[in-house]
Amino acid sequence: MYRPKGVKIVKINTNYFGELEVDENEILEFEKGMLGFEELKKFVIIKDSEIFIEWLQSVEDTTSFAIMDPFVADKNYSFELPDKIMEQLDIKSKEDVMIRTVVIIPEDITKIRTNLQAPIIINTKLKKATQIILDDSYPIRYEFYDKAGV
């Protein structure tokens, strides 16, 4: 397989996709880990072109989270990014920010939901990320099956 010069490939094991090779430059660094998984610091996003769900896959073990663009679930979703998060992630431009939320996919797909209270903020340029907690005016369990048209 052809690899551009300087690209370092890392092999990771996943529960859903088996062993994968990922470009080391695509690894996101979570300084404080994910909520409840603080020991895991390195993740990659695995995209599935068939659906709107992506996977936030740990590079350190087989832990993964279904994630999505929250604006697909709720086009009116918005919040101010705290200055301390802007500094922590060294965000200089809004173009460098990607927001994702964790998705729960139950057996009854009409109950699919996402956590709008704890978004994941990613500096796509520097590959730094963190999960923050917003105030409780944002729902933890936002069901969107009938709202998003996905």
Side-chain angles (χ1 to χ4, degrees):
M1 169 171 42
Y2 170 76
R3 285 193 188 113
K5 190 174 183 176
V7 172
K8 184 173 178 191
I9 299 298
V10 176
K11 288 186 180 190
I12 61 172
N13 290 308
T14 73
N15 284 331
Y16 301 112
F17 305 101
E19 184 177 88
L20 293 178
E21 292 184 344
V22 297
D23 180 340
E24 184 179 57
N25 294 321
E26 295 303 312
I27 296 175
L28 301 173
E29 182 76 37
F30 282 73
E31 183 180 321
K32 298 178 182 175
M34 288 281 289
L35 298 174
F37 295 85
E38 288 80 6
E39 71 283 0
L40 300 176
K41 310 286 189 199
K42 296 176 187 259
F43 290 84
V44 292
I45 294 177
I46 300 170
K47 298 177 191 287
D48 184 338
S49 60
E50 305 281 318
I51 56 175
F52 64 95
I53 299 292
E54 300 168 325
W55 300 94
L56 185 64
Q57 174 67 53
S58 171
V59 173
E60 299 155 307
D61 74 7
T62 58
T63 301
S64 66
F65 303 92
I67 60 171
M68 69 177 289
D69 178 342
F71 304 101
V72 170
D74 181 358
K75 66 180 187 308
N76 297 315
Y77 182 60
S78 70
F79 59 89
E80 287 293 320
L81 204 51
D83 289 341
K84 69 178 185 173
I85 299 302
M86 298 278 286
E87 291 170 17
Q88 177 188 337
L89 298 180
D90 199 20
I91 295 170
K92 304 289 187 216
S93 166
K94 66 180 181 180
E95 285 77 27
D96 296 336
V97 177
M98 180 167 63
I99 298 170
R100 293 294 183 261
T101 52
V102 175
V103 178
I104 302 299
I105 308 169
E107 201 168 302
D108 177 357
I109 195 66
T110 65
K111 302 293 184 197
I112 192 169
R113 59 193 182 272
T114 192
N115 181 346
L116 296 181
Q117 193 176 103
I120 300 162
I121 313 303
I122 302 165
N123 179 330
T124 58
K125 188 174 186 179
L126 298 178
K127 303 300 182 195
K128 293 180 175 184
T130 193
Q131 188 175 24
I132 64 173
I133 299 175
L134 303 174
D135 65 57
D136 60 9
S137 66
Y138 297 90
I140 292 173
R141 294 176 185 88
Y142 181 76
E143 291 186 13
F144 61 89
Y145 181 80
D146 293 333
K147 299 174 183 126
V150 289

